[in-house]
């Protein structure tokens, strides 16, 4: 009933989890955009040795489970991880550093590394259907390359970008494995997981599913 939803929304932990989930989704879209969009333009507009091999390698994160990737990232970047051990043996560090900071930072890094191929592929497909004469017309009218990108190129690529951003946002918000590996519980997906044990007697889990569905 709506009473269950109202009770959930009044819960400070649930409100914090909703806000953190939305923030994580926005961060995932922003970071994958910073990686995937420039890569798509680079591979579409420039010819250089090894381009075909690198293009295939950039898609490898899609073949690895986020859960497995999260375990690997944690083993490498934690205080007792491989990176700290290498730097300490080389004499570059005296004490280990927690490169991931909070669990939230580790989740954001992992999702950026895992989800950027979706942005890369969608933007590459959009560029394949892009009419370059629009950019030429903008340049002929005296627009700078930056102005051309924001006023002509990107608006015409927006459908492809929106498709990628939607997939990435929903994936980030509903991801469960990565937060569990980093032991971070202030996310809606993890709260649903924590309520599975008493799902038949406590409607909170079902209410959280409704909230997450509406959010995505």
């Amino acid at each position: 009933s709506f009473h269950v939803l109202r009770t959930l929304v009044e819960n400070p932990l649930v409100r914090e989890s909703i806000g953190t989930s939305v923030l994580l989704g926005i961060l995932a879209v922003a970071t994958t955009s910073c990686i995937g969009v420039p890569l798509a333009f680079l591979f579409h507009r420039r010819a250089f040795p090894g381009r075909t091999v690198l293009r295939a390698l950039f898609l490898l994160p899609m073949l690895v489970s986020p859960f497995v990737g999260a375990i690997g990232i944690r083993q490498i970047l934690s205080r007792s991880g491989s990176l700290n051990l290498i730097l300490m043996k080389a004499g570059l560090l005296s004490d280990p550093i927690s490169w991931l900071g909070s669990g939230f930072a580790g989740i954001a890094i992992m999702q950026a590394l895992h989800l950027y191929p979706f942005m890369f592929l969608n933007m590459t497909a959009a560029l394949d259907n892009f009419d370059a004469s629009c950019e030429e017309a903008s340049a002929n009218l005296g627009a700078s390359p930056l102005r051309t990108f924001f006023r002509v190129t990107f608006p015409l690529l927006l459908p492809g970008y929106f498709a990628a951003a939607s997939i990435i946002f929903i994936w980030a918000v509903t991801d469960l494995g990565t937060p569990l590996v980093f032991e971070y519980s202030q996310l809606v997906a993890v709260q649903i997981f924590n309520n599975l044990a008493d799902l038949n007697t406590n409607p909170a889990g079902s209410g959280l599913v409704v909230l997450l569905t509406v959010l995505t």
Side-chain angles (χ1 to χ4, degrees), residues 20 27 73-74 77 98-110 179 182-184 186:
T20 309
L27 277 177
I73 289 291
R74 186 170 181 179
L77 299 180
S98 180
W99 299 96
L100 294 174
S102 66
F104 182 83
I107 297 169
I109 293 171
M110 188 60 232
F182 287 100
E183 300 177 359
Y184 190 83
Q186 283 79 31

Side-chain angles (χ1 to χ4, degrees), residues 65-71 74 107 110-111 171-184 187 189-190 193:
S65 165
F67 186 78
V68 174
I71 295 175
R74 186 170 181 179
I107 297 169
M110 188 60 232
Q111 290 189 343
W171 190 305
V173 169
T174 58
D175 182 22
L176 175 64
T178 307
L180 289 180
V181 170
F182 287 100
E183 300 177 359
Y184 190 83
L187 294 168
V190 180
F193 178 79

Side-chain angles (χ1 to χ4, degrees), residues 52-61 116:
T52 303
V53 175
L54 283 175
R55 184 188 178 98
L57 291 176
F58 282 140
L59 301 181
L60 284 179
Y116 80 84

